[in-house]
Amino acid sequence: MTTAALTACTAPGTGGSTGGDEADSDRLVLADAYEPELFNPVTGHGETGYSRVYDGLVRLTGGSAGIPELEPSLATELPRGNADATEWTVPLREGVTFSDGTTFDAADVAATYAAVLDPASASPIAGSYAMVDSVEAVDPQTVVFRLAYPYVPFPSKLLLGIAPAEALATPGPAEASPLNTAPIGTGPYVLAERQGDQTVFRANPDHWDGAPEVEELVVVYVPDDNTRAQRMASGEFDGTTLPPLLAETLADDEGLTVVGHPSADWRGVALPAGDPVTGDPAVRLALNAAVDRDAIVESVLGGHGEAASTFVPAVFGEFTDPSAVFTHDPDEARRLLDEAGWVPGPDGVRVRDGQRAEFTVMYFPEDTLRRDLAQAFASDALAVGVEVDLEAVDRPQFRPRIPVDGSLLGGGDVPYDPDTQLYAALHSSFTADGVGGPFDNPSDYRNPTVDAALDRARRSTDQAERVADYREVQRQLVADPPAVVLVFLEHVYVMKDDGWTGTEPVLEPHSHGVSWGPWWNLRDWRRDG
């Protein structure tokens, strides 16, 4: 980014120009749509490898068109699994220090994972590490993970940031930990300030991989999409995240670039199994046939995405079954509804045994993209005689209503293997009370064939067997769908044209915002020339 562009920015919270200070030439100001999260790995911060203040044992590498590859971070080499993938040995770097000056070693790794698994922590990500039976610090530079069952994709579980053992020594709820607001990590940045609507990070001069050249990062919380766009256009920010159509309104602005990153982040309508309308298999199949996904990609996403029929994107390569797709066929949708006894009423909405083919779909009120997707879905459903009532619902009220009402949801939280993309979304174990969270298997889907395939694939060490099982899951999803999956998003960002190099795309998870996008690997950015 040019010095002229930077010195024209207004520093958030200062009310004035940053001036021509040379220090500002290595400062970025980004606007995010999402409130700052808790900076504690035990609460899930950085689980997918995006943390600026923590390092994991491994980290993501960019530039690949498929599932991201991993490279060593706090480990000196990628973890080695035994023959049945139940034991993983990780050699660790020497000479690494935390931001408080203490030395990193294997005890910190063991303490971090133990805290995640400790029921006293009430960690929201504990279920994601259920395969871990024990973590042993064999010596200061070696840690061994022993698993309860074979788990081939285990290296992706080592993206989690490592905190010092001393900060985790007292058991208790993770949400009460000082790490939430005063993190102690080994990462390329340290948290310098968190006040009001902005968070300030400064480069860690003692980072084991070298200090980042972007010396200061300011992230400003601006929840309203239009406000972020206006402030971006006025030159106040160096970058932001925006819905696709809104981002494209800035594409012709001088000095700005619209950037799209691929993702495994899906959007779809969860259909509760217990509802008399959405619980009918014929209705579910009909709605999947009624939806014009290609039109939604163009009209709602502005081409920044791709049509989706299941939760497995094409970038998953051989794991993706290209035949497992729904064809847009409103006539077939009407035929399915007719055969199931749903007949058109006087107003065109179908009725069966006195029950109108009508249900509610919720969406988050601040998320304009989900709103627009919900409206497109409702329009296509009404065209075949199913009425969808849309309702904007705040998150605290949204969660308890998921088993009752339809909901416009997203997923793909940890898209580094089909297991993490599919298991919690579909396995019937998550229909039991107290298992998982409200967004796990939100439709209360029960399909024994899917359960069996997911369980086999999770524990198999044979690649061909895993491919076959995950393809079977996809075939089941188009024969017996739990939801209407609509699209995979391309996450869209706007950034100033600059004098930095090092940006490269990476397959992004469901969580996005300015922790991802062009800035996910900010540690690697360099001044051009």
Side-chain angles (χ1 to χ4, degrees), residues 174 209 213 229 255 281 285 312 362 377 418 426 482:
D209 201 22
E213 290 191 15
L285 283 169
V312 183
M362 305 179 292
F377 168 74
L426 295 169

Side-chain angles (χ1 to χ4, degrees), residues 177-196:
S177 169
L179 290 174
N180 292 320
T181 54
I184 305 169
T186 66
Y189 288 87
V190 296
L191 178 65
E193 178 185 342
R194 186 176 186 180
Q195 185 174 358

Side-chain angles (χ1 to χ4, degrees), residues 268-291:
V269 180
L271 302 173
D275 182 89
V277 178
T278 60
D280 183 349
V283 171
R284 295 180 180 217
L285 283 169
L287 290 172
N288 272 286
V291 170

Side-chain angles (χ1 to χ4, degrees), residues 320-383:
T320 307
D321 188 335
S323 69
V325 295
F326 289 104
T327 301
H328 175 226
D329 191 342
D331 289 337
E332 172 66 7
R334 296 183 185 98
R335 185 191 67 78
L336 288 165
L337 293 168
D338 288 341
E339 287 188 355
W342 294 95
V343 297
D347 61 354
V349 177
R350 292 173 180 268
V351 180
R352 184 176 70 180
D353 299 330
Q355 172 68 54
R356 276 173 64 86
E358 181 179 8
F359 62 96
T360 296
V361 169
M362 305 179 292
Y363 63 90
F364 300 139
E366 76 281 5
D367 194 324
T368 58
L369 181 57
R370 294 196 193 207
R371 178 202 65 197
D372 294 346
L373 290 168
Q375 289 174 346
F377 168 74
S379 177
D380 285 345
L382 187 59

Side-chain angles (χ1 to χ4, degrees), residues 67-234:
I67 297 175
E69 295 183 0
L70 305 173
E71 66 181 11
S73 184
L74 291 177
T76 58
E77 59 185 64
L78 291 176
R80 303 184 299 271
N82 63 355
D84 66 356
T86 58
E87 185 173 294
W88 296 81
T89 302
V90 187
L92 305 179
R93 292 187 187 276
E94 297 185 48
V96 176
T97 57
F98 288 98
S99 55
D100 66 352
T102 57
T103 301
F104 159 80
D105 64 21
D108 303 306
V109 178
T112 298
Y113 282 86
V116 169
L117 295 170
D118 185 352
S121 298
S123 170
I125 62 170
S128 298
Y129 297 85
M131 76 290 296
V132 178
D133 187 53
S134 66
V135 187
E136 180 185 0
V138 176
D139 59 51
Q141 260 41 74
T142 309
V143 64
V144 175
F145 293 82
R146 295 183 178 89
L147 310 186
Y149 50 82
Y151 194 70
V152 168
F154 184 69
S156 67
K157 297 296 181 181
L158 305 182
L159 289 162
L160 185 68
I162 303 301
E166 294 80 2
L168 302 168
T170 304
E175 290 190 353
S177 169
L179 290 174
N180 292 320
T181 54
I184 305 169
T186 66
Y189 288 87
V190 296
L191 178 65
E193 178 185 342
R194 186 176 186 180
Q195 185 174 358
D197 65 353
Q198 74 177 46
T199 304
V200 180
F201 301 90
R202 293 201 176 95
N204 179 0
D206 300 318
H207 190 244
W208 57 269
D209 201 22
E213 290 191 15
V214 176
E215 294 180 357
E216 185 172 88
L217 170 66
V218 181
V219 179
V220 186
Y221 170 51
V222 185
D224 183 74
D225 294 337
N226 289 310
T227 301
R228 279 199 323 284
Q230 292 164 5
R231 293 173 70 178
M232 184 72 206
S234 72

